[in-house]
């Protein structure tokens, strides 16, 4: 299979169009990093073997594919629920394309070809591609409006569908070298660029992603219109006609769509969390490609706001079910936490771009937090059961109707499963990055890669047992001796920092510090922007050993988060832990973790595909049989990594543990409209 690397097309764009500005740091393409590990590689294989085929199957069985067939012949009636259902096919093609680069699969490739043929036939002659209208233009989907684009600002999702089409097309082109989907995307993008812009139609897209997609098309083609239109869509925000500056209601003031004030003036993450994450990613792209300082300022401020006031301890964002949106500062309720899986994915895209802009490890710390916790919790170990929302707490009494105590194979609005399908195979692309003679090591995953440093091949082999163990080994082999900086991320959690802000902190500091050896001898290094910078003339076979202390840590929240007062969360390495009913006699909401509690670690290969569990003898609340008395008894409690919960049926789960009886919430009834768990 032909593989085309991002760097080649970037180079082409630079040479052809003289474009100079870009991210100062360049990512290392995911195809260059061959994973050999026991954590990510099995997940990515399950994604290839189970998730992607299951998603395609659901796209067929629910009528999503049929919508394209009907659009081709302009007969029938749009037969699924949402006007963005086309995107499930695009996202699965994107995931499958990434995956094909890792696991060549003729059958999957051929199937994608048949889908692309159907997509092409559904495209109107001028490039318009949107089955909810094309099937029967006189009777479009109720959200679509009678005229093209007239409801884009609201909910038609025409440009959202376009954005996912572009993302899929670019992935497919890179993976296969085929231009079939790319040509469809370019035709659509040309239409979009001809319709929207100064002196043309004005709109702030109702659901962002078209901006990121256009930037990717720009990178491939170097065509300025794509970049200009992406920038234009960002600049269109903040001119919402219904804007009511006094209203705190995100529906009335435009904030749900991040359209309340111009992006350059935005300082707070607001509104629908997935929309926000895609917007902030695109703003980073535009900041990098234009060098415009106002965009740097805006996303830096928004990032600080999220990380210091709006992020759950497992990296989740978008706390509020109504509107799937960010809450106010410090509004992070546990019983009703929404935390859409797509929001975590959008934030991975955003944090990665922030790292490429600034070269600071704090962005990768946050990315790692989301990746290992609140993102992969969205997919079951079987690869075919998903969470749309990622709960922070499930109690045996009642839970909010928006909270999911158990996973589902698909949803009417199935954005999350197909988003997971595209994110997972791209994980190898987050391991390394480069800037001139600096090689950044961001993620610790067993892998082999060959990079080009100063025009010479340098191979790096990673060997570790991460995230279970903090011992990391890197074998660095330049073809011949070469001097460069190996910059290894020293995670915040290994330096007594729970998150790069004061929102969460470790209850007590640990003495042990990360250590680094080169060829067996303690290494000299500087810390720059969170990276240990090892500068030397590297020789073939040089071995770097890093030891990251992996004590079990108690995490406390700033008192401003009312819901976490008097409670602790548990973290070890990058993993946040939870207690689940299945390991604790059917309950978890009755567990106390007093200040002096300590945990033992135990690797259990047979549990949840192999996990390190934490064990401790802890007081557990017991309610007397007559229901009029309570007492505590000491029991051995087991905590599992948060990402692995809900793989053994529905029941209680807790992330934030009360430290004393006075902070335990024995039978919360705070929410109406709940569902009864068995
Ligand atoms: O609107 C398209 C997708 O559906 C959003 O990103 C999700 O939050 C869901 O509402
Ligand atoms: Zn989603």
């Amino acid at each position: 299979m032909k593989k085309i690397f991002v760097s080649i097309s970037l180079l082409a764009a630079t040479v052809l169009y003289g474009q100079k500005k870009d991210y100062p740091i360049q990512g290392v393409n995911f195809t260059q990093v061959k994973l050999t590990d026991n954590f990510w590689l099995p997940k990515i294989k399950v994604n290839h073997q189970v998730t992607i085929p299951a998603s395609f199957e659901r796209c067929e069985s629910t009528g999503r594919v049929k919508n394209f067939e009907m659009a081709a012949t302009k007969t029938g009636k749009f037969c699924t629920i949402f006007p963005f259902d086309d995107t499930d096919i695009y996202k699965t093609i994107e995931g499958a394309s990434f995956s094909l680069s890792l696991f060549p699969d003729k059958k999957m490739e051929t199937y994608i070809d048949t889908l692309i043929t159907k997509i092409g036939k559904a495209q109107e002659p001028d490039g318009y591609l949107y089955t909810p209208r094309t099937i029967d233009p006189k009777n479009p989907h109720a959200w679509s409006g009678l005229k093209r684009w007239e409801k884009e600002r609201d909910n038609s999702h025409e440009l959202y569908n376009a954005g996912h089409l572009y993302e899929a097309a670019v992935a497919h082109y890179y993976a296969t070298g085929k231009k079939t989907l790319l040509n469809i995307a370019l035709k659509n993008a040309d239409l979009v660029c001809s319709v929207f812009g100064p002196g043309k139609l004005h709109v702030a897209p109702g659901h962002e992603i078209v901006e990121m997609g256009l930037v990717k098309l720009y990178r491939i083609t170097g065509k300025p219109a794509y970049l200009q239109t992406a920038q234009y869509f960002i600049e269109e925000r903040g001119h919402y006609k219904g804007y009511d500056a006094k209203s705190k209601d995100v529906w009335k003031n435009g904030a749900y769509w991040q359209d309340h004030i111009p992006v350059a003036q935005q300082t707070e993450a607001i509104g629908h969390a997935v929309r926000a994450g895609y917007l902030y990613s695109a703003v980073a792209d535009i900041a990098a490609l234009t060098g415009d300082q106002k965009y740097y300022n805006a996303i830096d401020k928004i990032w600080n706001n999220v990380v210091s006031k709006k992020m759950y301890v497992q990296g989740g964002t978008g706390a509020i079910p109504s509107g799937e949106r960010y809450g106010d500062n410090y509004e992070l309720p546990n019983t009703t936490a929404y935390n859409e899986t797509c929001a975590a994915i959008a934030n991975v895209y955003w944090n990665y771009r922030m790292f490429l802009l600034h070269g600071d490890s704090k962005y990768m710390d946050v990315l790692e937090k989301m990746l290992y916790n609140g993102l992969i919790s969205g997919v079951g170990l079987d690869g075919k059961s998903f969470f749309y929302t990622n709960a922070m707490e499930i109690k045996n009494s009642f839970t909010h109707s928006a909270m999911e105590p158990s996973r589902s194979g698909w949803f009417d609005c199935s954005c999350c499963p197909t988003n997971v399908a595209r994110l997972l195979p791209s994980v190898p692309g987050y391991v390394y990055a480069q800037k001139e003679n600096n090689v950044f090591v961001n993620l610790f995953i067993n892998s082999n890669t060959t990079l080009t440093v100063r025009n010479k091949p340098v191979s790096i082999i990673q060997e570790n047992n991460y995230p279970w163990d903090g011992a990391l080994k890197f074998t660095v082999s330049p073809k011949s001796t070469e001097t460069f900086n190996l910059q290894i991320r020293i995670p915040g959690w290994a330096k007594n920092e729970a998150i790069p802000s004061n929102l969460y902190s470790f209850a007590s500091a640990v003495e042990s510090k990360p250590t680094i050896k080169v060829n067996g001898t303690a290494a000299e290094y500087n810390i720059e922007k969170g990276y240990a910078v090892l500068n030397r003339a590297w020789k073939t076979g040089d071995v770097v050993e890093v030891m990251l202390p992996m004590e079990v840590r108690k995490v406390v929240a700033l008192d401003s988060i009312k819901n976490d007062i008097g409670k602790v969360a548990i973290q070890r390495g990058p993993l946040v832990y939870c207690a689940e009913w299945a390991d604790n006699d059917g309950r978890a909401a009755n567990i106390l973790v007093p200040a002096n509690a300590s945990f033992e670690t135990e690797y259990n290969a047979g549990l949840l595909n192999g996990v390190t569990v934490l064990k401790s003898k802890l007081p557990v609340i017991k309610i007397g049989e007559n229901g009029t008395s309570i007492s505590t008894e000491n029991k051995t409690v087991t905590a599992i990594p948060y990402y692995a919960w809900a793989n053994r049926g529905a029941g209680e789960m807790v992330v934030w543990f009360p430290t004393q009886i006075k902070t335990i919430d024995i039978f919360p009834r705070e929410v109406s409209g709940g569902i009864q768990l068995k």
Side-chain angles (χ1 to χ4, degrees):
M1 189 185 311
K2 197 168 153 201
K3 285 186 189 127
I4 296 163
F5 297 107
V6 181
S7 50
I8 295 173
S9 33
L10 265 179
L11 187 67
T14 309
V15 171
L16 281 173
Y17 295 90
Q19 171 251 317
K20 296 263 173 354
K21 296 197 182 73
D22 206 334
Y23 286 105
I25 299 176
Q26 300 297 311
V28 171
N29 196 287
F30 75 101
T31 52
Q32 271 173 270
V33 183
K34 303 272 171 247
L35 301 194
T36 53
D37 79 316
N38 287 326
F39 189 84
W40 288 105
L41 189 56
K43 290 188 192 307
I44 296 170
K45 273 192 183 144
V46 167
N47 188 60
H48 185 87
Q49 289 164 355
V50 180
T51 311
I52 291 170
S55 292
F56 280 139
E57 196 281 317
R58 295 293 180 137
C59 287
E60 296 275 2
S61 66
T62 57
R64 282 162 169 77
V65 175
K66 190 172 168 210
N67 283 336
F68 281 89
E69 291 165 355
M70 291 188 292
T73 55
K74 290 192 184 271
T75 52
K77 192 169 171 348
F78 183 77
C79 67
T80 58
I81 298 174
F82 295 105
F84 48 83
D85 289 338
D86 291 357
T87 62
D88 290 321
I89 297 184
Y90 300 149
K91 281 187 278 178
T92 313
I93 291 178
E94 182 181 345
S97 300
F98 285 142
S99 206
L100 284 176
S101 299
L102 307 173
F103 313 110
D105 180 335
K106 204 70 217 152
K107 191 171 157 217
M108 190 178 280
E109 195 179 345
T110 308
Y111 176 71
I112 293 173
D113 288 341
T114 65
L115 282 181
I116 292 173
T117 304
K118 289 180 186 181
I119 294 168
K121 287 185 177 162
Q123 185 167 38
E124 297 192 20
D126 66 354
Y128 188 74
L129 183 49
Y130 180 74
T131 71
R133 184 185 312 283
T134 302
I135 292 172
D136 181 0
K138 292 213 169 79
N139 298 289
H141 188 282
W143 295 5
S144 304
L146 280 175
K147 279 201 345 237
R148 284 181 183 183
W149 322 112
E150 71 175 2
K151 296 274 186 197
E152 170 55 38
R153 167 61 181 70
D154 304 312
N155 245 334
S156 76
H157 288 77
E158 281 151 295
L159 291 174
Y160 173 76
N161 288 11
H164 274 301
L165 168 68
Y166 306 164
E167 298 251 319
V170 170
H172 183 251
Y173 171 62
Y174 285 146
T176 64
K178 294 179 192 169
K179 290 190 173 166
T180 43
L181 192 58
L182 184 63
N183 286 337
I184 295 170
L186 294 176
K187 195 170 169 188
N188 182 267
D190 289 341
L191 173 74
V192 166
C193 294
S194 73
V195 168
F196 297 100
K200 297 183 260 181
L201 207 54
H202 288 255
V203 80
H207 191 316
E208 298 89 332
I209 200 171
V210 68
E211 306 82 353
M212 290 164 77
L214 281 168
V215 167
K216 287 189 180 172
L217 294 184
Y218 167 70
R219 288 185 181 286
I220 285 191
T221 62
K223 196 170 169 179
Y226 299 152
L227 180 61
Q228 286 155 3
T229 307
Q231 183 170 356
Y232 168 78
F233 282 143
I234 288 171
E235 283 172 0
E236 273 298 284
R237 296 192 174 275
H239 310 299
Y240 174 45
K241 286 206 188 70
Y243 178 57
D244 173 0
K246 291 204 195 82
S247 175
K248 287 276 284 173
D249 180 343
V250 296
W251 301 103
K252 294 208 177 109
N253 66 13
Y256 173 78
W257 295 269
Q258 297 79 40
D259 198 8
H260 50 310
I261 49 174
V263 170
Q265 292 167 26
Q266 296 190 22
T267 56
E268 183 177 351
I270 204 154
H272 184 270
V274 186
R275 285 169 165 85
Y278 291 158
L279 171 64
Y280 307 149
S281 302
V283 175
D285 281 345
I286 297 298
L289 289 164
T290 63
D292 194 332
Q293 196 58 39
K294 68 176 185 282
Y295 293 124
Y296 281 84
N297 295 343
I299 40 167
D300 286 352
K301 285 185 185 144
I302 297 169
W303 187 87
N304 280 325
N305 172 252
V306 171
V307 173
S308 58
K309 297 186 175 77
K310 297 199 177 187
M311 182 170 278
Y312 282 98
V313 71
Q314 41 63 296
T317 57
I320 308 300
S322 132
E324 312 180 297
R325 65 183 166 86
Y326 282 99
D328 288 339
N329 288 336
Y330 306 114
E331 190 183 2
L332 294 164
N334 294 313
T335 47
T336 58
Y338 196 74
N339 283 339
E340 183 177 340
T341 302
C342 285
I345 291 172
N347 282 338
V348 163
Y349 297 145
W350 178 30
N351 276 275
Y352 182 59
R353 285 163 168 78
M354 295 300 282
F355 158 73
L356 296 178
L357 272 186
H358 294 302
D360 195 309
S361 70
K362 66 184 179 183
Y363 303 108
M364 292 308 297
D365 285 356
V366 172
L367 187 151
E368 178 184 69
K369 180 182 262 304
M370 293 182 292
L371 199 57
Y372 280 84
N373 299 288
L375 192 162
I376 48 169
S377 54
V379 55
L381 301 177
D382 60 3
K384 55 183 180 185
S385 57
F386 304 91
F387 275 138
Y388 186 119
T389 64
N390 290 274
M392 294 296 292
E393 185 170 285
I394 299 288
K395 291 195 173 177
N396 239 344
S397 46
F398 279 82
T399 188
H400 188 271
S401 55
M403 303 316 312
E404 297 164 286
S406 52
R407 299 167 184 277
S408 303
W410 189 254
F411 307 89
D412 285 343
C413 168
S414 221
C415 49
C416 299
T418 51
N419 230 350
V420 166
R422 75 183 181 128
L423 187 281
L424 274 178
S426 74
V427 165
Y430 297 104
V431 177
Y432 295 102
Q434 278 184 264
K435 181 184 181 187
E436 294 136 19
N437 62 334
N438 294 278
V439 174
F440 296 87
V441 185
N442 278 322
L443 296 182
F444 309 124
I445 308 181
N446 274 3
S447 53
N448 305 325
T449 190
T450 301
L451 310 172
T452 304
V453 185
R454 292 184 192 271
N455 295 321
K456 266 193 207 153
V458 175
S459 113
I460 303 180
I461 299 173
Q462 284 204 41
E463 290 164 279
N464 60 52
N465 189 25
Y466 201 80
W468 314 119
D469 193 325
L472 313 174
K473 181 178 169 194
F474 307 86
T475 306
V476 182
S477 299
K479 189 147 189 226
S480 55
T481 302
E482 187 57 72
T483 302
F484 60 90
N485 294 332
L486 188 67
Q487 301 214 23
I488 301 177
R489 182 174 66 93
I490 304 298
W493 56 258
K495 299 175 297 193
N496 287 317
E497 184 185 275
I499 191 169
S501 74
N502 66 353
L503 189 61
Y504 304 109
S505 48
F506 293 127
S508 55
V510 292
E511 300 285 304
S512 40
K513 293 200 164 50
T515 59
I516 304 184
K517 289 181 184 166
V518 177
N519 297 331
T521 307
E524 295 206 353
Y525 60 90
N526 295 327
I527 293 279
E528 282 173 24
K529 293 187 173 181
Y531 290 86
V533 183
L534 299 170
N535 176 272
R536 56 186 276 124
W538 296 95
K539 297 186 304 301
T540 292
D542 278 345
V543 173
V544 179
E545 288 165 290
V546 178
M547 179 58 81
L548 301 174
M550 267 209 186
E551 281 95 347
V552 180
R553 314 293 299 271
K554 292 196 198 91
V555 183
V556 291
L558 208 60
D559 275 356
S560 315
I561 308 181
K562 298 276 172 279
N563 309 80
D564 298 341
I565 292 177
K567 296 179 182 173
V568 291
I570 314 290
Q571 180 170 347
R572 178 173 183 268
L575 298 177
V576 172
Y577 277 71
C578 68
E580 194 184 23
W581 66 280
D583 308 295
N584 298 295
D585 296 334
R587 295 218 56 199
N590 57 348
I591 298 167
L592 296 174
V593 178
N596 62 357
S598 62
F599 289 83
E600 302 288 317
T601 59
E602 188 180 295
Y603 185 75
N604 186 338
L607 183 69
L608 300 165
N609 289 355
V611 287
T612 293
V613 298
L614 310 181
K615 288 187 182 268
S616 181
K617 206 132 198 167
L618 296 174
V620 169
I621 301 276
K622 255 180 76 175
I623 299 185
E625 273 179 17
N626 57 8
T628 57
S629 63
I630 62 167
S631 58
T632 58
E633 67 176 322
N634 276 349
K635 278 171 82 168
T636 299
V637 165
T638 300
I640 59 164
Y642 171 82
Y643 77 79
W645 81 279
N647 280 289
R648 295 167 293 175
E652 289 193 338
M653 183 279 291
V654 169
V655 175
W656 285 100
F657 298 89
T659 54
Q660 297 183 324
I661 292 175
K662 69 179 185 189
T663 51
I664 202 161
D665 193 8
I666 300 173
F667 284 123
R669 303 269 174 193
E670 71 207 64
V671 192
S672 59
I675 49 164
Q676 184 87 54
L677 292 179
K678 293 213 176 71

